[in-house]
Structures are given as structure tokens and as C-alpha cells.
Amino acid sequence: MKAQESIHKFAPLPYAYDALEPYIDKMTMEIHYDKHHRAYYNNFMAAIKGTELEKTPMLDIFANISAQPVGIRNNGGGFWNHEMFWNCMKSNGGGAPKGKLGDAITATFGSFDEFKKQFADAGAKRFGSGWVWLVVGKDGKLFISSTANQDNPLMNIAEKPGIPVFCLDVWEHAYYLKYQNKRGDYITAFWNVANWDYAQKLYEEALAKNK
Amino acid sequence: MDYTFPELPYAFNALEPHIDAMTMEIHYTKHHKTYFDKFVAAIKETELNGTPLEEIFAQVSKLPMPVRNHGGGLYNHTLFWESMSPNGGGVPTGKLADAITAQYGSFEDFKTKFNDAAANRFGSGWAWLSVKADKSLCVCSSANQDNPLMDISDCKATPILGLDVWEHAYYLKFQNRRPEYITAFWNVVNWAVVQARYESAIK
């Protein structure tokens, strides 16, 4: 019998390693994608090998993650979070979100600058390794949260669950080669490569799902 | 008692080529110093200002998170610097060597267990060799800046050897290759200090 093929694929990086220079350096992108992200994917695939999870969508796995071994939570999260993160950035990114997401951010946080401040704060205050998220809650409202390690707001263990529409990796490996201990500088640089079109798309999908 | 930021017991480049000078400099002057500064600020807001760290850790679950995070960061790094030396490496001798062999079968088996604890700590944290209340040894790991002296620890004990496995401890030189950093660490372990801690812990 032919081994069943998993639905989970390691996606290509949507741009070149040097595309986000000078904000995110080429070496960091290469190691981050080709070593860290790939290792999460490989470890995740090894952990689910021969189980029905090979055919289970990630969102369904996360919705029941507390029932799974911690290796699936850690590596599945690392696999999924990084793919989303790559898409949340692009060369010539930055600026401010437009459309419905721009309106919702202003309505929720008062202004885009105030949103940025709260998002950056959440990134600075995450102690140890983790992520910052802009999330749509069940009530359709936006909120900012941060998670430890490779957890995310889709997991049923999340303190503040919801559908993430934008994210930032604040593990030290995301910035240490260029910024070392200066996580704040990395977060400031990140705004220059933010892909708001992608966040806007995820936001509209999240609202449609919540209907 | 005032809290003091300890001196690094050797030059930044003393542990080359195993731990590089730039990592040591940033690790000590930026990371460790920031933990110290933030701990001093956080403990001032409590009634325990001036209390020794060990006593603070014993009741850390009742204290604000910054005390736990930055107090841990202060203590753990101090222990870590003292656990290394340019003339380090080799194997422990005396009572500690006997205890390691008795408990783990051999020094190599102990190293394997410690390496696994350090490699398998997901995210940021530490690997420890500690002495439990019954004087037996234990190898464990802790998240972030927690340590075995803290009342929240699931392996309560007195640490005698600690290895920092936060990415900042090794990323400039080893990047994603944490196991290579762990292998390099054994070349600089200051067993004389670890043995002295062991003998004091079993007294």
C-alpha cells in the first residue's frame, strides 16, 4: 500500500531571504526559515506520522490541542505560526492598514499609533520566547494578545482564544543576530515590513467565519 | 542588605573558543545587568527588599512576576558565570564524582541526562544539576528564569550547576545548533566550584 500522503506541506518562503533588508537581515531569514521553521515542520511530521492527524487540518488540531502530546503542540505551533509570520511581512511593506481592518483598529484602539504602541508593549513584555498577535475574538472584536513559546490563539489552551490576523515572532532567534538584546529595536523595524494587505485578508475571512 | 551586581569572574574572551567574547559581553553587561536593575526596582515595591534571594525564591509564588523573572535572572546568571572557568572542563573528583557515578552509573551517563534536559527544554530556560533535601542529585530543566530554589519548581533542590539555554546564550556563535553549544559548555565547566557547592549542600 502506498503510504498515505499528509495534507501538511512546508510552504516556500514568499520572498527572497534578503527581501526584508535592512529591517530583517538575510542571514536571520535564512536560518529562521531553513533551520528553525523546517525543524518545527519535520518534528511535527514525525510526531503525527501514521496517525489521522496527517489528514487533519491544523485549525482542527489546534482546537483540540490539549488532547495531544506536547511535542505536537510545540512543533505544530512552530510550523503554523512561522508560515503565518512570513506572510505578515513583505518587502516595501509598512504603512497603515486600510479598509475594514484600518477602521476596526481605529475603532478598537483609538488610532493606529495607539494600536502599534500596545502591540509593541505586548512584544516587549513577553518574558522568554513567544509571539504577539492581533486577534479577532468570537464577538468579532479585535484584541492584542501574546502567547508563550509556539502557542497561538487558535489553540484550545489559549488564555484569550480567537482568530489571529497579524503576528510577530519575539523568540530571540527572530532578531538576535542583528539586534541582540534590543528587542524593542527589532519591533520598531518590523513595522517597516508589515504586510497589511495580508492582515486585511485574514481579517475579512475571520469576520466571515464568525458570521 | 543591598543587592550588588556581581563582577564577572574572568574577561569576556576568557572562555574562547567555546563561548565567544561578544556573547559574554552582551550576556553579562546587557542581559544580566538588566535582570539586576529590574529586580532591584521590583523588590523595592515589596516588603522583602533586602531579603536574600534564596528566601525570596522560597516564597516567590506570592510575589509579583517581575520579582520571579528578574530575581531568577539575577541569581541564575551569577551561578552560571561561577560555574565556568577558562581552566575548566574535565571531570569532577571527590565526593561529587562518587555521587554522580553512584546515581547515574557513570559521568558519561550523567552528561547524557543533562544534555537531554538542556536540549529538550522548549523555548527559553535552564538545565540544572541540583542536590535534593535527601542529599540525592537530580537533573532537571526550568522555563525562562525559574530555578530549583523557587517554591513553584517541580524539582525543588539546591542547584550546583546551571546551563543557560536561552537563545541569547548561544545564538551569535551557534545559531539554531543548541546541541553544539551544550557540547562546548563541558570544556569550560568549573568543577572545583561545583564540587564546593555540592559539599556545602550535603552538610
Side-chain angles (χ1 to χ4, degrees), chain A residues 31-32 35-36 40 74-75 127-129 149-150 171-174 176-177 180-181, chain B residues 26-27 30-31 35 69-70 122-124 144-145 166-169 171-172 175-176:
Chain A
I31 297 171
H32 203 171
K35 303 294 182 186
H36 292 281
Y40 289 127
N74 289 343
N75 293 297
F127 192 75
S129 304
N149 296 335
Q150 296 294 352
W171 280 58
E172 287 173 326
H173 68 231
Y176 210 79
L177 294 182
Q180 296 87 48
N181 61 302
Chain B
I26 297 171
H27 204 169
K30 308 291 184 186
H31 293 280
Y35 290 126
N69 288 341
H70 301 297
F122 192 74
S124 304
N144 294 335
Q145 295 294 351
W166 281 58
E167 287 174 323
H168 67 231
Y171 211 78
L172 294 181
Q175 296 87 47
N176 60 302

Side-chain angles (χ1 to χ4, degrees), chain B residues 136-150:
Chain B
S136 67
L137 293 170
C138 67
V139 170
C140 70
S141 80
S142 60
N144 294 335
Q145 295 294 351
D146 292 347
N147 68 43
L149 291 168
M150 292 183 176

Side-chain angles (χ1 to χ4, degrees), chain B:
Chain B
M1 161 192 130
D2 281 337
Y3 301 103
T4 51
F5 184 60
E7 303 243 343
L8 190 67
Y10 35 74
F12 296 133
N13 66 358
L15 307 180
E16 290 268 14
H18 310 293
I19 313 275
D20 62 288
M22 184 182 279
T23 294
M24 282 304 303
E25 179 166 358
I26 297 171
H27 204 169
Y28 173 73
T29 67
K30 308 291 184 186
H31 293 280
H32 195 192
K33 181 65 161 56
T34 302
Y35 290 126
F36 172 76
D37 290 342
K38 291 190 171 176
F39 168 72
V40 168
I43 199 69
K44 272 190 186 143
E45 305 297 317
T46 73
E47 288 172 1
L48 294 177
N49 194 21
T51 307
L53 285 167
E54 288 84 345
E55 288 175 38
I56 290 170
F57 294 154
Q59 50 190 306
V60 83
S61 59
K62 293 179 240 155
L63 298 168
M65 273 310 278
V67 170
R68 172 172 161 182
N69 288 341
H70 301 297
L74 168 59
Y75 178 93
N76 298 347
H77 283 90
T78 304
L79 183 137
F80 183 49
W81 309 142
E82 292 170 353
S83 300
M84 298 187 288
S85 155
N87 306 310
V91 297
T93 51
K95 283 183 190 166
L96 175 59
D98 295 345
I100 285 175
T101 308
Q103 193 157 339
Y104 299 103
S106 70
F107 179 63
E108 285 307 314
D109 287 333
F110 153 73
K111 266 173 74 175
T112 301
K113 199 169 166 66
F114 190 94
N115 289 348
D116 284 351
N120 294 333
R121 165 53 52 188
F122 192 74
S124 304
W126 290 77
W128 305 99
L129 172 63
S130 308
V131 181
K132 291 205 280 200
D134 66 2
K135 300 186 181 178
S136 67
L137 293 170
C138 67
V139 170
C140 70
S141 80
S142 60
N144 294 335
Q145 295 294 351
D146 292 347
N147 68 43
L149 291 168
M150 292 183 176
D151 63 353
I152 47 84
S153 173
D154 52 16
C155 59
K156 274 201 239 5
T158 304
I160 60 173
L161 175 68
L163 174 60
D164 189 347
V165 292
W166 281 58
E167 287 174 323
H168 67 231
Y170 60 86
Y171 211 78
L172 294 181
K173 185 174 170 78
F174 298 98
Q175 296 87 47
N176 60 302
R177 302 181 309 279
R178 188 191 286 183
E180 288 182 27
Y181 158 71
I182 298 170
T183 301
F185 167 69
W186 295 113
N187 294 307
V188 290
V189 172
N190 188 343
W191 286 112
V193 163
V194 180
Q195 279 159 217
R197 285 195 195 116
Y198 176 70
E199 296 195 12
S200 148
I202 58 169
K203 251 178 207 163

